[in-house]
Amino acid sequence: MLVRYRTIGATDDDVMPWPITQDELADATGLTTVHINRTLRQLREEGLIELNRREMTVLDAERLRQVAGFNPNYLHLIRTEEGNSKVAERAGDLV
């Protein structure tokens, strides 16, 4: 989600809106609320994220990318056209 927020210019740093509840995230992913809660707690304990009200701060983007096995290829962010180079550049921090 951080890559997507950066791509549209909704954030220039590592803080993003997090308007989804654990119940909603569990429902959307087909996981249990307990699993979501434990996973988010583990990410916080490992110093990867911080949740504060309706915002998430990614504290270590590179490590989070590694832990999650994130591969940005499906987002098709890297563009060769002149006008889209800024999009790829902004997203590139986490990509």
Side-chain angles (χ1 to χ4, degrees), residues 28-45:
T29 59
L31 301 170
T32 67
T33 304
V34 171
H35 183 76
I36 296 296
N37 181 280
R38 288 179 182 162
T39 301
L40 291 173
R41 185 179 66 225
Q42 183 178 1
L43 294 173
R44 287 191 305 267
E45 288 172 355

Side-chain angles (χ1 to χ4, degrees), residues 1-6 11-18 40 43-44 46-52 55-68 70 93-95:
M1 287 189 63
L2 183 58
V3 171
R4 290 177 181 209
Y5 277 114
R6 285 180 179 168
T11 186
D12 287 328
D13 55 18
D14 294 329
V15 180
M16 64 181 158
W18 193 255
L40 291 173
L43 294 173
R44 287 191 305 267
E46 292 183 21
L48 299 175
I49 66 166
E50 184 177 277
L51 288 169
N52 189 9
E55 286 185 338
M56 178 183 286
T57 302
V58 177
L59 301 171
D60 188 342
E62 177 59 27
R63 179 78 177 115
L64 181 60
R65 185 187 63 76
Q66 291 171 354
V67 167
F70 178 69
D93 294 337
L94 193 59
V95 177

